[in-house]
Amino acid sequence: METWRFVAGVMMSLTIGLIGVALTTNFHGVTEWHVRRSMTTASVLRRVPPWRWLPHVPHEERLARFILLERLLGVAFAVVGVTILVTVGYSFLTGQPIPSSR
């Protein structure tokens, strides 16, 4: 088995997993910071909202909804990170190559 694939797989799984855990647990306010930053960056879109309910909801309630959504995405990232780590570990232990897209 190629060593670089193993190292890349472990690094990728740890990175994705740690980002997912940080978003899920709101570690040091990273989720809230990211949502606030995203909302200020996308504030131009408030003029022409894609959804009708957007302008009628108070800012704090909209912020809470997006924080909840981002925490759910964090759970998905954490699960994907663990799945990649299990796949890489299984491939390493059995000696089979890591599956690729080719």
Side-chain angles (χ1 to χ4, degrees):
M1 182 169 68
E2 298 161 345
T3 307
W4 70 270
R5 280 191 177 188
F6 174 73
V7 172
V10 170
M11 293 302 292
M12 185 172 60
S13 69
L14 290 177
T15 302
I16 291 173
L18 289 176
I19 289 172
V21 168
L23 288 176
T24 302
T25 60
N26 197 16
F27 183 71
H28 288 283
V30 72
T31 306
E32 189 173 341
W33 171 83
H34 185 257
V35 168
R36 287 184 189 277
R37 180 90 175 188
S38 299
M39 288 178 75
T40 52
T41 303
S43 65
V44 180
L45 299 176
R46 268 196 291 180
R47 292 185 212 142
V48 183
W51 303 283
R52 292 284 179 216
W53 54 266
L54 193 59
H56 302 297
V57 176
H59 178 71
E60 291 303 318
E61 186 177 338
R62 199 172 38 183
L63 180 68
R65 285 181 185 176
F66 283 123
I67 288 174
L68 178 64
L69 176 65
E70 189 141 342
R71 290 181 88 173
L72 290 174
L73 288 173
V75 169
F77 269 54
V79 168
V80 167
V82 169
T83 304
I84 293 171
L85 189 62
V86 167
T87 303
V88 168
Y90 176 78
S91 295
F92 180 73
L93 291 176
T94 60
Q96 296 177 357
I98 298 173
S100 66
S101 61
R102 295 183 200 183

